[in-house]
Amino acid sequence: MAHPHQQTDPHTVDFQVDPVVLELGQRFVDAGHELSLVGGPVRDLFLGRVSPDLDFTTDATPDQTVALIKKWADTYWEIGRAFGTIGMRKAGFQIEVTTYRAEAYDPESRKPVVAFGASLTDDLLRRDFTINAMALRLPTMELVDPFGGVRDLHSSTLATPGSPEDSFSDDPLRMMRAARFAAQLGVTVHPDVRQAMASMAERIKIISAERVRDELVKIICADRPRTGVDLLVETGLAEFVLPEVSALRLESDEHHRHKDVYQHSLQVLEQAAALESGADGPVPGPDFVLRFAALMHDVGKPATRRFEAGGAVSFRHHDMVGSKLTSKRMKALRFDNDTIKAVARLVELHMRFYGYGEAGWSDSAVRRYVTDAGPLLERLHRLTRSDVTTRNQRKAERLAFAYDDLEARIAALREQESLDAVRPDLDGGRIMALLGIKPGPVVGRAYKFLLEERMEHGPLESAVAEAKLHEWWAAQPEAAAADLSPTEEP
């Protein structure tokens, strides 16, 4: 949208904004109304960032706003009219103009109770954080910053315009937004805000799962996801949003030393994000599926922890347990089925590689690894590599070398075979023709048998595959019961 220039006056800011901003401001002023650019777009001006979405606030009613913009905007919509918001598109920008509000939430309801306000300052007071409670009056570009947003931006502090308790009572989701801004902007949450988050964490339960999910995705996909997740856990919000992650803080036992699973999981999340590819690569970042699988990959450990003789600690089958816990949590957060299946599958497969370095794998095992991962293979590569957080350099190098070798094996087999879509050497139609049978469960069993042969031995010549199918069929009870022998096509 714009890039900032040096501020020369305490009240008027020398920003270069797109002409569409000034043009819209002039339309409102000419009609006797106020209009200000507000919130995130103003914050982003100070951060030198470009914002494609423009938020404005005005003393005009929604009806008056529509009258002013309906011939000016490329298109407009009134879906947010009940909240005082009119949306529009102009010159490639998505624009929202909202009537001054004095908004309050019923303490026991998820739905806001909207009351229109009369002043810009009152409107800014009801916003979430000071860095989002700044406005530029248009078209004069006068900065309105009654709550110290510029100061807090300079000091990288996240504070609320009024008391944090009032702010979070109005909308408890703002507690998660605090974690999101910490993750996105690297700001330090003010101690009063942190304390309010901790004391009011349970209030997040009145917020819809969909709104919580959307904030969680933004945290996980931010530049500093570890910071955001850690804030959720430390303030107790994660107890209601991601209790499985909070549970990773296993009690330490002086007689049974083991790796800090919680800190390990945060480190794996960081390392996985660092392994994402560019936009043209196989895993363009930020990739929520990879990152969330990295965070959740060990959530099965608390339920499977066992203290063995001699002081060892085991977590048998934590991959399977963790996969189920991950799926259950994501369903509760209303994620779509494809995303749930992808993340849960990565959690389930994250231990599959271990043992490769010591025992080595047959070509059959490599085929199964690729087939089981399917379209998630590139993510699985990155998750597996990220799961190495040992300080033992020799162990880390040994694991990295082993995975390099596995990837080389996969590449070599790909050269010889169509690994990405391993199928039997005979299709269903050929199976039915060879065995003289009709569609039904037996065809499925035959197909599965041939798939196992393909996995075990690689591609087979048609004659060899047919011979194996005949041999299999001769041992099936259906063949004997019907007194059928395999038949060839005429």
Side-chain angles (χ1 to χ4, degrees), residues 358-397:
E358 287 79 10
W361 283 0
S362 64
D363 284 351
S364 170
V366 175
R367 289 187 199 100
R368 291 178 192 278
Y369 188 77
V370 173
T371 303
D372 288 348
L376 297 171
L377 182 63
E378 289 291 346
R379 288 181 173 116
L380 183 58
H381 286 336
R382 286 157 174 78
L383 176 59
T384 304
R385 289 184 180 277
S386 301
D387 197 19
V388 179
T389 60
T390 178
R391 294 179 183 177
N392 184 324
Q393 190 64 27
R394 290 183 63 186
K395 181 179 179 182
E397 289 174 355

Side-chain angles (χ1 to χ4, degrees), residues 289 293 330 336-348 376 379:
V289 169
M330 293 182 74
D336 64 276
N337 287 335
D338 287 346
T339 303
I340 293 172
K341 288 179 181 177
V343 175
R345 185 64 165 158
L346 284 174
V347 173
E348 179 185 343
L376 297 171
R379 288 181 173 116

